[in-house]
Amino acid sequence: MKWKIQPSSSLHGVVSMPGDKSISHRALMHAALAQGTSRLQNFLHAGVTEAMMRCVRALGVPLAIESDGALIVQGGQLRSPAARLDCGNSGATIRMLMGALAGQRDLAVTLDGSVGLRRRPMKRVAEPLRLMGAEIGDTPPLSIQGKQLRGIEYTLPVASAQVKAAILLAALQADTPTTIHEPGPSRDHSERMLRSLGVSVATENNTVTLTPSGMPLSTFETTIPGDISSAAFIFAAAALVPNSEVTVQNVGVNETRTGLLDALGAMGGDVCVANVHEVNGEPSADITVKSSELRGITVDGDLVVRMIDEFPIFAVLASQAQGETVVREAEELRVKESDRIGSLASELRKLGVPIEERPDGFVIAGPTRLHGAVVDSHGDHRLAMSLAVAGLIAEGETTVTRAEAYRESFPNFVDLMGRLGGTVHESHE
Ligand code: S3P
């Protein structure tokens, strides 16, 4: 499927985002391990979470969807599935399942996924799990034979919330406490959710210690905040399309996720955060962005970790900023849904952006007048939507090929853009 995008003269309106992808994954995984019924309101229904739903069902956990989209999870005893579990394109699904299943004694399973997923790093999860006593492979298709686990003290070589989440899921089932040290502040949704369920999770700086109780997790009801990583495309579009003002309601503002807002503010963006409130330990707010002149900035260190999924759309913002924007210490971008340094550079150049690729980031000199072109998503949902936003400010028509990738995380992107005044057409020609 292709997208055809026309330039937009202004964007206006108030919208809400689908549920946060990271929190949806954790809520489903924790609910599957709890003994009884949990209810997850504003659960994300998209490609990556459907992958986790499929796997959890195959492990013997009944799921139901209510008319408002809430997911009902009947957690309990997991059983060995009849066939390999297909984790699709979802890194969170395979990594969290590795952690959750490694400690399920008597359970045997093989985890696999798409060609793209098979290429992504899994050893970073398998290694600490093996130190805990797990019997687990390194690359998909990877098999797991559930074992009794022991706690460990472990230093993550890279800040990765997916690795941390997997170790915490295993730590819940271990017989002694586990301590994880991280080099940066990766998203802490697992810690917050487990604490709200009564699990002993202590956090200090970038160190987290979980002390297992030996009891199953409690069932729970929660409302998942809107996904700030999806809202990022709307914020950027509002900042870039002239005469725009857009509000996104009830979007998660956990500070381990708000790096793009800080970066946009530092660039001179007009960002207003209002009505901050907390649900189950996760803060959300209403955020309004208006169009403004932007200037280039340097992004490195902790800010990279706090906006790790936002670099494709950040690069589009940088293309319109006055002066140089430098991203460094971001080599992790090379192992995301695409090599997000290489794929960004090749596609943005087609639109006229002077972008210099570096091993650990990129440099963009702006502002540049974009011209419409045929660009490709590389099968990466965030690249597809970033290129669509670039199309809204490019001269002439922009075509994005393999656009269907957007359904992995933000299935109503086209609809919401249309409601705000942005023209993104689906084409099957
Ligand atoms: C996620 C963590 C990040 C992020 C991904 C979701 C999570 O990955 O890129 O989209 O839910 O924990 P890493 O942990 O690999 O950095």
Side-chain angles (χ1 to χ4, degrees):
M1 192 265 283
K2 290 178 188 160
W3 276 339
K4 303 265 185 197
I5 301 122
Q6 305 296 335
S8 175
S9 53
S10 77
L11 299 175
H12 280 276
V14 180
V15 289
S16 299
M17 292 298 108
D20 186 88
K21 164 167 106 61
S22 294
I23 301 176
S24 294
H25 274 133
R26 286 161 174 80
L28 172 51
M29 207 61 258
H30 293 150
L33 294 174
Q35 304 283 326
T37 307
S38 294
R39 184 166 191 276
L40 317 178
Q41 197 134 5
N42 202 33
F43 183 83
L44 172 67
H45 293 283
V48 290
T49 45
E50 273 156 18
M52 189 182 269
M53 286 169 66
R54 186 168 64 229
C55 294
V56 162
R57 278 198 174 108
L59 288 161
V61 175
L63 302 178
I65 302 169
E66 293 192 334
S67 55
D68 63 355
L71 185 69
I72 310 299
V73 184
Q74 200 69 47
Q77 193 61 44
L78 305 183
R79 57 169 158 73
S80 299
R84 273 183 190 189
L85 296 185
D86 176 10
C87 301
N89 284 318
S90 175
T93 297
I94 191 164
R95 292 180 176 132
M96 288 184 205
L97 282 173
M98 288 166 75
L101 302 181
Q104 297 279 318
R105 276 168 295 169
D106 305 327
L107 190 134
V109 60
T110 300
L111 305 180
D112 202 359
S114 66
V115 175
L117 190 77
R118 283 182 173 194
R119 280 200 293 263
R120 296 183 63 194
M122 299 302 152
K123 199 169 171 186
R124 53 171 69 176
V125 185
E127 268 177 355
L129 294 179
R130 276 198 291 268
L131 294 175
M132 299 176 84
E135 196 180 314
I136 188 166
D138 274 331
T139 43
L142 64 84
S143 52
I144 301 173
Q145 178 61 57
K147 294 279 176 212
Q148 175 59 52
L149 303 180
R150 54 186 173 270
I152 50 167
E153 178 157 1
Y154 190 72
T155 300
L156 295 182
V158 285
S160 163
Q162 289 185 2
V163 180
K164 181 173 61 173
I167 300 174
L168 290 174
L169 282 159
L172 276 175
Q173 302 164 61
D175 52 11
T176 51
T178 291
T179 297
I180 307 165
H181 306 284
E182 278 198 281
S186 77
R187 59 196 68 187
D188 64 353
H189 304 303
S190 292
E191 296 90 308
R192 286 174 190 244
M193 196 176 289
L194 288 169
R195 226 177 272 129
S196 81
L197 298 179
V199 178
S200 164
V201 178
T203 308
E204 210 192 322
N205 301 319
N206 292 327
T207 294
V208 47
T209 300
L210 185 150
T211 306
S213 69
M215 300 288 289
L217 283 177
S218 321
T219 57
F220 60 102
E221 292 210 2
T222 193
T223 301
I224 295 166
D227 197 325
I228 191 166
S229 294
S230 296
F233 304 107
I234 309 288
F235 297 150
L240 294 175
V241 174
N243 311 310
S244 297
E245 176 170 348
V246 174
T247 298
V248 181
Q249 289 180 314
N250 285 319
V251 61
V253 287
N254 176 323
E255 68 179 351
T256 59
R257 297 286 300 283
T258 48
L260 181 83
L261 292 181
D262 294 350
L264 184 53
M267 294 169 98
D270 187 339
V271 181
C272 175
V273 179
N275 187 23
V276 182
H277 57 284
E278 211 166 288
V279 182
N280 291 72
E282 287 286 353
S284 9
D286 300 338
I287 300 178
T288 302
V289 176
K290 297 183 195 167
S291 33
S292 56
E293 299 284 309
L294 301 178
R295 54 183 175 271
I297 59 166
T298 294
V299 176
D300 55 15
D302 285 356
L303 186 54
V304 170
V305 183
R306 293 177 52 244
M307 56 182 280
I308 192 67
D309 288 338
E310 277 62 78
F311 285 96
I313 193 62
F314 176 71
V316 178
L317 285 166
S319 76
Q320 301 309 301
Q322 183 72 46
E324 209 172 62
T325 292
V326 180
V327 172
R328 57 184 185 216
E329 299 171 354
E331 45 278 279
E332 193 58 15
L333 295 177
R334 297 215 178 259
V335 293
K336 292 295 177 188
E337 286 84 329
S338 66
D339 163 1
R340 281 192 181 150
I341 298 175
S343 55
L344 252 181
S346 78
E347 301 316 304
L348 288 184
R349 268 186 212 125
K350 294 177 191 165
L351 296 167
V353 179
I355 172 168
E356 179 197 329
E357 186 179 336
R358 295 199 173 157
D360 68 339
F362 52 83
V363 179
I364 292 176
T368 314
R369 206 172 180 132
L370 306 186
H371 51 77
V374 178
V375 287
D376 182 51
S377 77
H378 292 238
D380 181 339
H381 54 136
R382 300 202 195 281
L383 196 59
M385 292 183 275
S386 301
L387 293 168
V389 172
L392 295 177
I393 54 162
E395 235 173 286
E397 185 176 81
T398 299
T399 299
V400 181
T401 57
R402 292 195 280 169
E404 64 280 358
Y406 81 100
R407 297 198 188 105
E408 290 292 333
S409 64
F410 192 175
N412 57 345
F413 171 78
V414 174
D415 176 46
L416 287 186
M417 262 310 172
R419 273 204 261 154
L420 296 172
T423 320
V424 180
H425 283 306
E426 296 200 350
S427 150
H428 294 274
E429 74 190 32

